[in-house]
Structure formats: C-alpha cells, structure tokens
Amino acid sequence: MKRIVTIQDISCVGKCSLTVALPIISAMGIEAGIIPTAVLSTHTMFKDFTFHDLTDEIQKIADHWKSQKITFDGIYTGYLGSFKQLDLMATFFGDFGGKGKLIFVDPCMADNGKLYPGFTKEFALAMGKLCAKADVIAPNITEACLMLGQDYPGEDYDEKYIADLMQKLAALGAKRTILKGVGYKKGLCGVLSYDRETGKSTEYFHELIPAKFHGTGDIFASVAFSALILGKGIDEAVRLAADFTVLSIKKTLEHEDHNNYGVDFEAAFPELLRRLA
C-alpha cells in the first residue's frame, strides 16, 4: 500500500483541508499520514472561529519521523499560513522527497481575484518559489497570477492568455502544472494541464454549476494527487478529480436545506470507487 503525508490545517467542523483530504486519500486505498499546520474550531466561513497555530510542531514531527526512518511515496501540501511554514516545507521536501517521491503543492491562498485574509502579495511570490520545488502544482487563475506577480484578468481572458499563463507557471520550475477554474468556453468550467518535460498540454471541460462552496479546491486536489500516487496519468487524474468535484456539488444541491459546511463529497464516493475499480 502506498503511504503519503499531507500537510495542511484542520477545521474541527466544516469540510475543507484535512477533513476533506484524509477521507478521500484513505478511500482511494492510500495510507495517509498528516501534519496539521493549525487547528480551527470551524472553517473560516463561520464567525468567531478559534485558531491554534501549530507551526512550532512541524519540525519536531519531521525530526521524530526521521529518527524512526519513516518514509513516504508522496507529499501533498494544502493551506500553509505563514512564511515560516513555507520555509519548513522546503526543508521537508528535501528530507522526505527525492527520486520516485511525488511532491504536490496546492497553493491555497486566493480565489476570485482576492487573497484570503492574512495573506500578502509577498507571500504569494514566496509560494511561487515553493512551487518550484514541486513535481505538480495545482493553482487556480487567481493564485497563478499572484505567484507570477501579474494582474488578475477577471473574466476577460481567452485561450491564448491561458496558454501563456501555463507557460509562465511551468517556468517556475514544477514538472507538471494543473490550472483550475478556466472559463473561456461559455457555460463550461475547465482544468488544463501541462507537462514541462514533454511539452504536452491538455484541457478538460465540464458543465459550469452556478454555485460556490467552501472546500471544492481541496476535494479536487486530494483526488488528483491520489490518482497520481496510484500511477494514473495526469489526464486521467484531472478527469477523475474534476468529475468527482462536480458530482459532489450536485449531490449537495439535491438537498434544499444544504448548508455552508461544504459539499457532500461522501455521497459521491461510490462513483469514484467504481471508476477506480
């Protein structure tokens, strides 16, 4: 059985970050170790949530693992909350990465043209440097622009703009790039991928669902990363992740009283496992 480690925050209530990543990775037949970067009472869409920073525990955990000779087949980072955590991840990649180990960075820090609270443009540029150490990165368009230090285009972009954006992202240094939330085809939402080593690029579009939920990016990244760990090609990984995310949203919208905790991805597991089988 493959063993990975995912490093991101955990919200005690609310479907995002580790409460999404851990069940998805486990359901896909992969052993998952975790390093929580912070503990929150709920995710950040709730008011007055509590927050406990765990930055000081990260290196202690890593040092103990090294002493026990624990190894991983892959490393997947999500929400990282400070410059110090970025530095710690760069060190962690060096200690636990290497040949045959997949490093996947989801630079969770912005969406819809805006940084999440607490982040700065300087942090985004530093995240771009961490992405240079990854095998695969999976930003949305906002995150991509911020890491590259360029203006967010809003909805005013075309296929040529996205192709240029992908080339610039690849130049950061990651071997493969996945770009989420591409909308230059009317009524559709797309995911593009690019392999820097082969020069191959692909696109996968699905229906655009007019609904916004917390944690869908975490769902996509968790499935895509797990599929790659299982030996799937990047095209298949993207399709599995996008289809599972869309189905999870649809399952949620079936209930008139759905809440803002996140999407009901649990209800979509049977279809994901059927496709994996």
Side-chain angles (χ1 to χ4, degrees):
M1 180 179 288
K2 297 286 187 178
R3 177 196 294 139
I4 64 88
V5 58
T6 181
I7 306 163
Q8 47 192 307
D9 67 284
I10 185 165
S11 297
C12 298
V13 170
K15 301 178 186 181
C16 67
S17 300
L18 280 176
T19 53
V20 164
L22 186 56
I24 288 176
I25 293 166
S26 297
M28 293 180 70
I30 299 166
E31 178 186 342
I34 64 169
I35 295 183
T37 57
V39 177
L40 293 78
S41 55
T42 64
H43 64 52
T44 56
M45 287 187 69
F46 288 84
K47 293 181 180 179
D48 304 320
F49 59 87
T50 66
F51 176 92
H52 181 66
D53 182 37
L54 294 174
T55 300
D56 291 343
E57 300 301 313
I58 294 173
Q59 192 59 52
K60 297 176 187 176
I61 293 169
D63 289 342
H64 181 240
W65 286 350
K66 285 191 289 184
S67 74
Q68 300 300 307
K69 296 182 171 51
I70 295 171
T71 61
F72 301 97
D73 296 297
I75 304 167
Y76 157 34
T77 66
Y79 186 99
L80 301 171
S82 67
F83 286 97
K84 185 174 181 180
Q85 289 188 358
L86 294 180
D87 291 340
L88 287 167
M89 288 306 99
T91 300
F92 191 90
F93 292 171
D95 289 341
F96 291 91
K99 187 176 181 180
K101 312 294 180 67
L102 178 72
I103 298 176
F104 186 108
V105 173
D106 182 9
C108 303
M109 59 182 175
D111 202 2
N112 299 314
K114 296 181 180 180
L115 284 158
Y116 296 152
F119 289 133
T120 63
K121 290 182 178 179
E122 291 74 20
F123 180 87
L125 294 173
M127 178 66 81
K129 293 180 180 178
L130 182 67
C131 285
K133 302 178 183 298
D135 296 301
V136 183
I137 60 173
N140 58 38
I141 294 175
T142 302
E143 292 158 346
C145 290
L146 286 164
M147 290 193 296
L148 295 169
Q150 64 185 55
D151 293 335
Y152 173 67
E155 298 181 0
D156 185 22
Y157 60 85
D158 56 16
E159 188 172 357
K160 183 179 181 301
Y161 175 88
I162 295 297
D164 180 62
L165 190 66
M166 293 290 281
Q167 290 294 323
K168 291 178 179 178
L169 285 170
L172 289 175
K175 295 176 183 176
R176 288 172 285 179
T177 300
I178 298 171
L179 185 65
K180 304 174 293 189
V182 177
Y184 56 70
K185 293 187 178 182
K186 187 175 180 180
L188 299 175
C189 183
V191 184
L192 275 66
S193 63
Y194 177 75
D195 188 314
R196 182 168 56 88
E197 295 177 336
T198 65
K200 180 184 178 183
S201 60
T202 59
E203 62 178 33
Y204 182 66
F205 281 83
H206 54 79
E207 63 182 296
L208 175 64
I209 301 177
K212 295 286 186 180
F213 288 101
H214 207 65
T216 51
D218 301 323
I219 291 171
F220 177 94
S222 299
V223 175
F225 168 73
S226 298
L228 292 169
I229 288 290
L230 293 174
K232 308 293 184 184
I234 193 165
D235 294 353
E236 185 175 359
V238 164
R239 290 194 299 271
L240 278 170
D243 290 348
F244 181 73
T245 304
V246 170
L247 181 58
S248 297
I249 295 172
K250 288 181 175 179
K251 292 290 186 182
T252 307
L253 293 174
E254 288 176 2
H255 305 286
E256 293 183 2
D257 61 344
H258 61 263
N259 55 48
N260 64 350
Y261 285 24
V263 298
D264 297 339
F265 67 90
E266 301 93 337
F269 272 141
E271 175 61 17
L272 176 64
L273 299 182
R274 183 192 67 78
R275 288 181 60 174
L276 286 174

